[in-house]
Amino acid sequence: MLKSSLLAESSLPRPRPVRRRSLQLVPWAGVALLLSGCQGDRVQSSLHPAGPAAEAVAQLWWVLLTILGLYTLAVFVLTALAIFRRNPLGRRARYQGRAFILVGGVILPAVILVPLLIYSLTTTVALHQPDTGLTIRVVGHRWWWEIEYPGQGIVTANEIYIPVGEPVQLELTSADVIHSFWVPQLHGKRDLLPGQTSAFWIEAERAGVFRGQCAEFCGLQHAHMALTVEALPPEEFAAWIAGQQRPGDAPADSELADSELADSEVADSELADSELADSELGDSEVADRYASPRVAAGRSAFFRHGCAACHAIAGTRAVGQAGPDLTYIGSRPTLGAATIPNTRKNLLAWVANPQAIKPGVNMPPTHAPAEEIEAIVSYLQSLQYEREEE
Amino acid sequence: MDASPVGENREYIQVHRFQLWFSVLGGAVAWTLHLLLSYGVAEFGCVSPFRTIDWIGLSGVAWLEILVTLLTLAVAVASTLIALRIKRRLLGDAAASSSAASDGRVFMARSGVMAGAIFVFIIVVEALPILYFLRDC
Amino acid sequence: MKDVKEASEQLHQIWRKPSGFWGWFSVVNNRLLGVRFMVTAFAFFLIGGVLALLMRIQLTVPENTFLSPQTYNELFTMHGSTMMFLFAVPMLEGLAVYFLPIMLGSRDLAFPRLSAFGYWTYLFGGLVFYASFFVGDVPNAGWFAYTPLSASRYSGMGMDFWALGLSLVELSGIVAAVEIVVTVLKFRAPGMTLGRMPIFAWTMLAVGVMSLFAFTTLLVATLLLELDRTAGTQFFNPNRGGSNLLWQHLFWFFGHPEVYIIFLPATGIVSTIVGTYSRRLLGYTIITVAILVTAFVSFGLWAHHMYTTGLPELSLSFFAAASLMIALASGAQVFAWIASLWGRRPSLEPPLMFILGFLVIFVMGGMTGVMIAIVPFDWQVHDTYFIVAHFHYVLIGGAVFPLMGGLYYWIPKITGRMLNPLLGHASFWAAFVGFHATFFPMHLMGFWGMPRRVYTFPESLGIEGHNVLATIGAFVFGFAFLIFLFDLLVSLLVGERAGENPWNGDTLEWSISSPPPSYMFLAPPVVRGRHPCWHREPKGSEGDLAERASEVLWGQPTAWRGNLITEAVNATPQGIQYLPGPSYRPLLVSLGLLIAFLAVLTKLFLVTLVAAVFALGVLAKWLWPDRHVIAMLRSSELGRREGLPILVTGSRSTVWWGTICLLTILATALAALTYAYFYIRLYASEWPQTGLDPPALLGPAITYGTLLVSGAGLFWANRAFRGGKANAIQFAFTLVVLSGAAFLALAVYGLVQLPFSHRDHAYGSLFYLHSIFISLLTLAGLALVGSAQIRVWSEHEDREGSMKLQMQVTSLLWYFVVVAGVCTFTTLYLSPYVL
């Protein structure tokens, strides 16, 4: 597969001007197919655009490849001819040579480059920051993303939900070093600079999950600083907003918050080996999640082990700012800034020792008996927002 | 510099050394000024109230950029013309004479013509973006 | 008249390298230093290559754990820094140090001791870089060291090693630049007008001038970074009014020209080899103009590394336009080479093979370069593996391949023995195939979402296959250099003798034996065309000055090292330059600097001070005119013949040109500091920061007024010097020294009185730095003026020759100090009222 793809790349089919906006319809299917990838499912590819900005840039690329590719081929052919042919230039070689140099090396490139510059400028202006749309604030941290919807009062981390079909304004800044926000299927990059806010925007044309990643080297775990953007149809997005706006942990003032549950109680719990964790919590289960002693024990362990010093959970006394907000951690698709999928097994491993998964991450290992960690994980998994069934 | 004749049979034609160097480097210097000033105006203008000034439909920044372009373009064109003139003077009628070919100044003037033309072109191309940002940055 | 054998023996006596173990440390001959540069640089290249292979192993499979993230980050930082600073630039410098004088027909470089100094600082700088491995705190913020990641808050001592090691290497780059510029302008063979210079010399001239600006800017930037790290200044701290983008601007103002500083000499090599193999080089003038255009426009591209930082789109578009336009210059060169080769049926020997490989790779890299100049496209591929692919195409394709071609071409001249063509072809094909296998897939990885500088990648990106291919390719590529080394070894042991001109080359290095004799040319060769080894054009008339100068210097001088000075444009003989012999001073000064820098690392600032004073002391001794040498030169018979003076002054003298270069460096430093001031000022919400009042004007006006007085004093001293009025000279000099000293005292007093410190905010840091810079300039200027005064007073020699030259140099520098003072006053004291 790989080899053939490389071969295909070097022998470009004769390209025609790209007229289509949609990538799937790019005329010269060979190269397109190759670059779109063999697997079809590229989660972080700038050549699989899902929004107008990324699409404009992808189209720009096909034009550039066509024109510059042809020029390159011409230079290669001329080089080969130069070496293998006898001298067709006569005594006037010097003058013919000069004309050849000026036409091929200066005038022709100028004729190519000036329209390219104009095309580039037109695209730049077309991708200008729109004036309207939802505003999301993104703060880069080493090595995770703090996501805030200032108008909606929602704070989350490493996941962005946007409505399909409308531009979303991003306010980008950093809490420490320079990061760069990059979700290739939606738009290019914009740096997150400490001490200043940059404006950026994204827009998705279709629903889906799009992976993004920090693109500016930011230290030890730069490789594991990713995020997901999920575009939802407007109704679903509204539902998501509504769900997120409820306090994450309803019985904030209940006795559970401060009650101490004996370890033995957790250990004895019949739920210890249950399948609860991997199952989706249904509405009814969410409603009475605190009926589960396991979750209650986990909640208490969460506070006892100092997790709240760094993490916040809306509606509780956990208001730590150093780490990601955990209000609806149970509903998040990934853990550790999109390092691993959010499964029970992964969450257990993460809580127990994140250093094994993401060495150097700021979160220390949790020194607690296995049952307590199980309980904490159960508690975290119970933190899910209510999806309203439409 | 104050070059002495190489070909001794020819009458030595004086070219002021400032003129000579300007003919070679004038275009390059004009381009340098154009880029630095254009960048400076944009960098400064786009964060200052200047961008909101509107005069005959163009922002203050755009006016300044146009001014910078015209001035530096004039310098580049002048250097090209001077290079052309020096070249003609040095070569005179005896374009093919060996002493002319051995004079480093002829080479400089020749390069000056070519470099000047290129830099004029580059300045013009570099001014294209202004047309896209006439009202704002 | 002596016979050739006797003459060459006499010349060899004076030019040969010092003998013995200790003699090795005092060598100043360009050929020996050139080889040292190249061998050291190649050693660093191999080390950097091994680092790259380790990184490739780590990246073979997703989520690999071969290297820890910490180690990986250290390796890519060191790989980038090594290849850019310790390999590419010094390697090409080494080639220039060795071959430039030979190609130009001179016997050495213009400032032999400076070449030695450049080598030692380069070596020490490289060692400081790698010393970090022994401390266990390796630089890990990338070769671009973006703040605040490289600030002391986010990275350890490793970055101090980086910044200080780099400073030494930059210093080496700057002195090499001075050396190269002056050599090309003043040490050409008689008759080698600008229009007859080899293209390689043209590229080195361009690169020399570019380095003066680029390396100085980087030196200022690293100084600011190191001050932030050790002295607590706030230049790059946004919480205290500093700016992180300032670092990026300064770094890339160096960083982009740097690419062309590496690339241009490589094109010089290409032009040389293409010229030899096609027995002509078409478009000579076009190529030189392309070099000129590249040299300038490369400075106008820096912001294209900053497209994603959120600069105004208008600014970005200017840089996009400039970035596209530089392609015209490269295009012209490529077509000139194709035109030259057209139909000449060149024999495909290893040197040419590498050049053809270069053409293929570089054109591809150039095309991706055009692509990433397009702003919106760059938003996508910036900081991805697409960029990694692109710059390896232009740097390996654009510099390493020509360099390998150059080595295959020139090693026979250096060692006197041929390399094996079969091994050469093997090396080329391994390099060519391995290169594409490694870097071509990276374009695709970039599109599919692999960012740069990641120690691992998730399986979900779907790029495992490409990474496996890249790793295999990297090892094949690395193997190519082992073949080359083996080839070199075999050649040294049993290689065929090369003879004078194995390739039928056209430039002057092929007119002398291989390896060349220590003095290189028995007499300055008279040049009458662009290809002195191909067309031996008829001698000029008897009265030709070039012929006469060549005769005068035939086998001469024998009592000291001497070389012909020629005029910058037409290369007409102007005089004879005395060149110093072996000396330990360059090594001692570099050692002093090294110790001073190491002491900064360990925070032993007292040691720093002592070492710096030591280095300055040796430097003073180095620069002080040697009375015995001057007496010897004055009595020399040589200077009386044919109007070729030995103690030349003004623009005839290499020292005068060196001073102009020094002023360029200082002016660039001042400009960089001024830019930093206004850049930070532009983005500050209030100025001066933290609600301070603008500085008072009256006191500083008096302080800086004393500088103007001293300038007037020097003007007077010069008039008195020309008029020969001894008392007036002393009086005027005293006025200069006193007013200069008064300025220093007042400036220091002003600093002490300031209500803020350099740690408080970026404004404070800038204020102190500008004031200290002008004070140090004044101090250095005072030392020069003082020494000139002493010399005029103590030596009653005639006011021609070396004393006149010293007056000229002192005046240039002091007038510059006065102008710099005016600039500083305008920036620090006037601008807050205006802007």
Side-chain angles (χ1 to χ4, degrees):
Chain A
M1 197 57 144
L2 184 69
K3 199 171 176 186
S4 67
S5 68
L6 282 171
L7 283 174
E9 171 64 15
S10 57
S11 56
L12 300 175
R14 176 173 300 134
R16 277 173 277 148
V18 179
R19 273 174 263 112
R20 318 302 299 229
R21 273 171 63 80
S22 171
L23 182 68
Q24 286 84 346
L25 298 173
V26 163
W28 30 308
V31 181
L33 193 72
L34 149 77
L35 279 168
S36 330
C38 322
Q39 282 131 301
D41 183 32
R42 299 240 167 237
V43 294
Q44 198 166 297
S45 163
S46 50
L47 296 183
H48 287 68
E55 208 157 82
V57 176
Q59 184 188 327
L60 187 54
W61 152 249
W62 295 111
V63 174
L64 287 171
L65 179 65
T66 312
I67 296 171
L68 299 178
L70 279 178
Y71 184 78
T72 308
L73 277 183
V75 173
F76 288 173
V77 168
L78 285 174
T79 309
L81 288 179
I83 293 166
F84 296 115
R85 280 172 60 103
R86 286 210 176 280
N87 191 358
L89 303 179
R91 283 183 307 152
R92 291 174 53 79
R94 204 158 278 280
Y95 298 98
Q96 288 174 349
R98 178 186 284 190
F100 175 78
I101 297 166
L102 288 179
V103 171
V106 181
I107 295 171
L108 188 60
V111 168
I112 292 173
L113 292 176
V114 171
L116 279 186
L117 176 66
I118 290 170
Y119 182 24
S120 157
L121 286 166
T122 315
T123 312
T124 309
V125 172
L127 297 184
H128 202 76
Q129 182 92 10
D131 300 329
T132 58
L134 175 78
T135 299
I136 302 175
R137 190 172 165 76
V138 180
V139 184
H141 293 264
R142 304 215 298 172
W143 296 273
W144 59 281
W145 308 86
E146 181 185 337
I147 313 293
E148 190 190 344
Y149 293 69
Q152 289 68 31
I154 297 170
V155 177
T156 175
N158 306 322
E159 51 161 10
I160 298 180
Y161 287 84
I162 57 168
V164 169
E166 54 180 283
V168 176
Q169 308 251 7
L170 300 179
E171 283 177 6
L172 307 174
T173 189
S174 167
D176 36 53
V177 302
I178 301 175
H179 304 278
S180 193
F181 180 90
W182 182 41
V183 183
Q185 285 175 278
L186 301 181
H187 202 330
K189 297 172 195 69
R190 186 57 51 89
D191 293 356
L192 292 78
L193 296 151
Q196 73 183 71
T197 302
S198 340
F200 196 49
W201 66 284
I202 48 176
E203 181 181 338
E205 278 174 347
R206 58 178 162 90
V209 182
F210 312 108
R211 193 177 191 273
Q213 191 167 353
C214 175
E216 184 59 83
F217 180 60
C218 55
L220 199 61
Q221 278 297 344
H222 167 57
H224 286 140
M225 182 171 166
L227 79 166
T228 56
V229 175
E230 184 163 358
L232 300 169
E235 343 45 273
E236 278 183 48
F237 179 72
W240 181 82
I241 292 281
Q244 291 279 322
Q245 277 171 333
R246 294 202 190 90
D249 191 353
D253 303 319
S254 80
E255 289 174 15
L256 277 168
D258 301 310
S259 71
E260 290 287 320
L261 286 164
D263 289 353
S264 57
E265 214 176 315
V266 178
D268 293 344
S269 163
E270 288 187 3
L271 287 162
D273 301 309
S274 79
E275 300 292 327
L276 167 96
D278 289 324
S279 69
E280 279 284 311
L281 286 167
D283 274 358
S284 58
E285 280 167 303
V286 171
D288 52 20
R289 59 171 91 127
Y290 297 103
S292 156
R294 171 75 159 291
V295 169
R299 188 176 199 276
S300 126
F302 180 86
F303 286 98
R304 204 164 55 244
H305 287 290
C307 306
C310 297
H311 294 287
I313 297 175
T316 73
R317 61 195 164 83
V319 290
Q321 293 292 313
D325 182 288
L326 298 180
T327 301
Y328 286 114
I329 175 77
S331 306
R332 300 237 176 103
T334 64
L335 295 173
T339 302
I340 42 175
N342 187 4
T343 63
R344 181 170 180 87
K345 195 168 149 247
N346 282 342
L347 190 53
L348 272 173
W350 180 268
V351 173
N353 185 12
Q355 301 295 332
I357 297 161
K358 192 168 167 180
V361 68
N362 289 323
M363 179 170 160
T366 309
H367 297 293
E371 318 84 64
E372 283 196 38
I373 290 176
E374 292 264 357
I376 291 174
V377 167
S378 296
Y379 168 61
L380 293 177
Q381 286 205 310
S382 78
L383 296 173
Q384 301 204 0
Y385 73 89
E386 285 179 56
R387 292 174 198 268
E388 285 172 15
E389 302 296 329
E390 297 288 321
Chain B
M1 323 299 314
D2 39 12
S4 59
V6 172
E8 319 230 332
N9 301 331
R10 265 179 79 80
E11 195 182 329
Y12 187 64
I13 300 164
Q14 285 289 339
V15 177
H16 195 280
R17 66 169 145 173
F18 175 77
Q19 261 195 7
L20 189 62
W21 283 103
F22 178 73
S23 75
V24 179
L25 297 176
V29 170
W31 171 83
T32 309
L33 284 175
H34 182 252
L35 186 93
L36 291 181
L37 290 175
S38 299
Y39 158 72
V41 168
E43 185 89 50
F44 176 79
C46 292
V47 296
S48 76
F50 233 78
R51 69 186 289 180
T52 54
I53 293 176
D54 190 317
W55 194 47
I56 329 184
L58 271 62
S59 72
V61 171
W63 277 113
L64 272 182
E65 297 286 10
I66 291 169
L67 187 71
V68 164
T69 303
L70 291 180
L71 284 179
T72 52
L73 202 56
V75 175
V77 170
S79 116
T80 314
L81 293 180
I82 288 176
L84 206 59
R85 211 185 62 152
I86 294 176
K87 185 181 134 190
R88 291 213 175 118
R89 264 183 62 202
L90 287 177
L91 287 178
D93 327 315
S97 89
S98 64
S99 59
S102 69
D103 191 341
R105 300 177 304 164
V106 175
F107 168 77
M108 285 175 79
R110 220 174 240 153
S111 319
V113 177
M114 226 183 275
I118 287 268
F119 279 113
V120 167
F121 178 71
I122 295 181
I123 292 175
V124 170
V125 171
E126 230 169 56
L128 283 179
I130 304 172
L131 301 178
Y132 284 80
F133 299 93
L134 288 176
R135 287 170 175 280
D136 208 346
C137 295
Chain C
M1 198 95 175
K2 301 177 280 193
D3 67 6
V4 173
K5 201 177 166 204
E6 189 190 350
S8 59
E9 185 50 37
Q10 280 176 342
L11 277 181
H12 179 65
Q13 282 308 316
I14 190 72
W15 281 95
R16 67 175 183 179
K17 66 179 173 192
S19 55
F21 173 75
W22 293 107
W24 196 83
F25 295 95
S26 65
V27 162
V28 296
N29 297 42
N30 73 301
R31 286 193 305 111
L32 302 168
L33 290 168
V35 171
R36 280 184 206 178
F37 261 111
M38 286 190 271
V39 168
T40 314
F42 206 84
F44 278 124
F45 175 64
L46 295 179
I47 296 171
V50 170
L51 301 184
L53 290 180
L54 292 174
M55 292 195 290
R56 271 324 313 170
I57 294 175
Q58 162 70 13
L59 289 177
T60 313
V61 291
E63 302 293 351
N64 197 358
T65 52
F66 173 71
L67 297 174
S68 73
Q70 176 68 22
T71 311
Y72 185 87
N73 294 347
E74 291 169 356
L75 292 192
F76 84 69
T77 303
M78 289 303 284
H79 170 73
S81 306
T82 303
M83 291 307 194
M84 294 300 273
F85 299 123
L86 303 181
F87 163 63
V89 175
M91 186 77 195
L92 293 160
E93 261 168 31
L95 204 61
V97 165
Y98 191 106
F99 281 106
L100 207 46
I102 318 187
M103 281 186 171
L104 297 174
S106 80
R107 286 173 179 156
D108 205 323
L109 289 163
F111 308 107
R113 288 179 296 189
L114 205 56
S115 345
F117 175 71
Y119 175 71
W120 293 117
T121 46
Y122 157 58
L123 178 67
F124 292 158
L127 293 180
V128 169
F129 263 104
Y130 275 88
S132 62
F133 277 101
F134 297 100
V135 185
D137 198 346
V138 184
N140 59 359
W143 85 279
F144 50 97
Y146 271 13
T147 61
L149 189 62
S150 57
S152 51
R153 190 165 160 209
Y154 296 104
S155 46
M157 207 173 146
M159 286 317 288
D160 292 315
F161 279 96
W162 184 86
L164 294 168
L166 183 57
S167 305
L168 284 172
V169 176
E170 287 153 7
L171 200 58
S172 157
I174 292 173
V175 300
V178 175
E179 184 90 74
I180 286 166
V181 170
V182 178
T183 303
V184 173
L185 289 178
K186 299 303 294 176
F187 269 20
R188 298 205 303 273
M192 187 187 277
T193 63
L194 281 184
R196 290 170 177 166
M197 226 159 74
I199 292 290
F200 183 73
W202 266 111
T203 59
M204 287 317 298
L205 176 63
V207 161
V209 176
M210 289 165 73
S211 302
L212 292 181
F213 294 100
F215 277 111
T216 309
T217 311
L218 182 64
L219 193 60
V220 169
T222 39
L223 176 76
L224 298 187
L225 179 64
E226 195 50 30
L227 284 175
D228 262 16
R229 291 182 58 87
T230 53
T233 53
Q234 311 288 357
F235 298 110
F236 304 122
N237 181 359
N239 300 328
R240 293 293 187 92
S243 166
N244 286 306
L245 285 183
L246 173 63
W247 169 263
Q248 298 188 18
H249 279 294
L250 290 176
F251 186 82
W252 291 120
F253 187 79
F254 147 80
H256 204 87
E258 157 86 346
V259 175
Y260 288 91
I261 286 173
I262 294 169
F263 170 64
L264 276 182
T267 66
I269 298 174
V270 176
S271 291
T272 309
I273 296 178
V274 165
T276 295
Y277 276 92
S278 43
R279 298 173 308 285
R280 69 178 179 197
L281 184 65
L282 295 183
Y284 177 93
T285 314
I286 296 176
I287 291 177
T288 52
V289 170
I291 293 167
L292 175 81
V293 171
T294 310
F296 273 85
V297 178
S298 67
F299 280 93
L301 313 182
W302 82 88
H304 85 202
H305 299 262
M306 298 167 68
Y307 281 172
T308 64
T309 54
L311 294 181
E313 281 158 7
L314 176 59
S315 314
L316 296 185
S317 303
F318 290 129
F319 290 98
S323 308
L324 292 179
M325 288 300 104
I326 203 164
L328 301 187
S330 301
Q333 294 216 61
V334 167
F335 273 78
W337 298 320
I338 295 178
S340 302
L341 286 169
W342 194 271
R344 306 294 279 195
R345 316 289 318 250
S347 60
L348 297 174
E349 285 165 350
L352 188 64
M353 288 308 288
F354 276 102
I355 298 310
L356 295 176
F358 150 84
L359 262 178
V360 170
I361 299 172
F362 174 72
V363 168
M364 293 171 77
M367 291 307 143
T368 51
V370 167
M371 292 175 187
I372 58 176
I374 305 276
V375 178
F377 181 70
D378 183 70
W379 286 341
Q380 276 290 14
V381 296
H382 179 73
D383 271 340
T384 68
Y385 262 70
F386 188 88
I387 301 292
V388 178
H390 159 72
F391 71 74
H392 282 97
Y393 265 75
V394 288
L395 284 173
I396 294 184
V400 176
F401 272 77
L403 190 75
M404 290 302 290
L407 287 178
Y408 269 96
Y409 182 72
W410 276 309
I411 278 178
K413 177 55 63 181
I414 299 174
T415 64
R417 287 171 187 276
M418 300 300 285
L419 292 161
N420 184 324
L422 270 182
L423 286 172
H425 279 288
S427 173
F428 166 74
W429 284 109
F432 190 74
V433 173
F435 173 84
H436 282 287
T438 312
F439 295 105
F440 194 83
M442 289 186 184
H443 293 110
L444 309 180
M445 296 180 203
F447 279 130
W448 293 334
M450 186 164 172
R452 285 171 79 177
R453 301 154 187 151
V454 288
Y455 76 94
T456 190
F457 56 94
E459 208 183 332
S460 61
L461 297 189
I463 48 177
E464 306 98 286
H466 301 74
N467 271 302
V468 171
L469 180 62
T471 304
I472 296 170
F475 277 90
V476 175
F477 185 59
F479 188 63
F481 297 94
L482 291 186
I483 301 176
F484 165 71
L485 282 183
F486 177 71
D487 194 358
L488 183 60
L489 189 71
V490 170
S491 147
L492 284 174
L493 294 176
V494 297
E496 193 189 324
R497 294 274 169 198
E500 260 185 26
N501 193 353
W503 315 110
N504 189 19
D506 62 330
T507 35
L508 283 173
E509 74 268 29
W510 304 112
S511 68
I512 55 178
S513 64
S514 314
S518 57
Y519 50 86
M520 300 211 281
F521 293 95
L522 209 51
V526 178
V527 171
R528 304 200 172 279
R530 281 181 193 154
H531 313 286
C533 286
W534 288 345
H535 313 294
R536 302 213 183 260
E537 283 166 37
K539 282 193 174 186
S541 51
E542 276 305 300
D544 192 325
L545 189 57
E547 299 285 351
R548 279 179 283 146
S550 182
E551 263 164 42
V552 169
L553 282 171
W554 190 89
Q556 289 288 353
T558 51
W560 38 278
R561 298 184 178 191
N563 192 62
L564 185 68
I565 311 175
T566 50
E567 189 265 335
V569 173
N570 274 336
T572 38
Q574 284 184 323
I576 300 166
Q577 177 67 44
Y578 160 83
L579 295 174
S583 166
Y584 290 106
R585 286 173 198 156
L587 175 62
L588 291 177
V589 176
S590 326
L591 265 180
L593 283 178
L594 174 68
I595 293 167
F597 279 28
L598 289 178
V600 170
L601 274 175
T602 46
K603 313 259 188 250
L604 298 169
F605 293 111
L606 193 67
V607 179
T608 307
L609 195 69
V610 173
V613 168
F614 170 75
L616 284 175
V618 180
L619 188 66
K621 181 81 185 138
W622 173 354
L623 294 178
W624 195 268
D626 187 329
R627 204 179 291 197
H628 304 293
V629 170
I630 292 170
M632 176 182 77
L633 296 181
R634 190 170 289 127
S635 62
S636 168
E637 276 296 311
L638 218 52
R640 304 210 171 87
R641 293 174 56 189
E642 304 291 353
L644 290 177
I646 297 175
L647 294 161
V648 291
T649 58
S651 68
R652 292 181 157 210
S653 153
T654 53
V655 175
W656 188 87
W657 284 90
T659 310
I660 295 295
C661 290
L662 178 62
L663 293 188
T664 310
I665 293 165
L666 293 174
T668 307
L670 182 66
L673 290 179
T674 310
Y675 174 77
Y677 181 93
F678 286 106
Y679 188 85
I680 288 181
R681 193 263 161 276
L682 180 61
Y683 290 100
S685 49
E686 50 174 354
W687 199 258
Q689 284 162 338
T690 65
L692 289 165
D693 289 328
L697 276 181
L698 184 62
I702 294 171
T703 310
Y704 284 83
T706 55
L707 266 189
L708 287 179
V709 171
S710 74
L714 192 67
F715 184 74
W716 182 21
N718 267 312
R719 278 188 60 169
F721 183 84
R722 281 194 297 274
K725 298 172 189 143
N727 288 335
I729 296 172
Q730 289 304 318
F731 196 80
F733 264 136
T734 311
L735 178 66
V736 178
V737 172
L738 284 183
S739 49
F743 169 77
L744 264 185
L746 288 171
V748 171
Y749 176 76
L751 274 186
V752 175
Q753 294 294 312
L754 285 178
F756 50 85
S757 91
H758 64 280
R759 296 164 179 274
D760 290 351
H761 35 66
Y763 173 75
S765 309
L766 286 164
F767 202 96
Y768 274 85
L769 187 63
H770 277 258
S771 306
I772 291 172
F773 181 73
I774 187 69
S775 303
L776 288 178
L777 266 185
T778 312
L779 196 61
L782 275 181
L784 281 170
V785 173
S787 55
Q789 181 176 13
I790 292 171
R791 189 151 173 236
V792 173
W793 175 69
S794 65
E795 291 174 36
H796 300 283
E797 62 167 286
D798 60 285
R799 301 213 155 78
E800 286 303 313
S802 80
M803 195 181 284
K804 185 174 171 190
L805 184 63
Q806 189 169 357
M807 271 307 277
Q808 289 168 337
V809 168
T810 307
S811 306
L812 279 174
L813 280 163
W814 190 261
Y815 289 139
F816 174 79
V817 171
V818 175
V819 172
V822 173
C823 290
T824 308
F825 180 74
T826 313
T827 306
L828 289 186
Y829 299 98
L830 293 182
S831 79
Y833 291 94
V834 183
L835 295 173

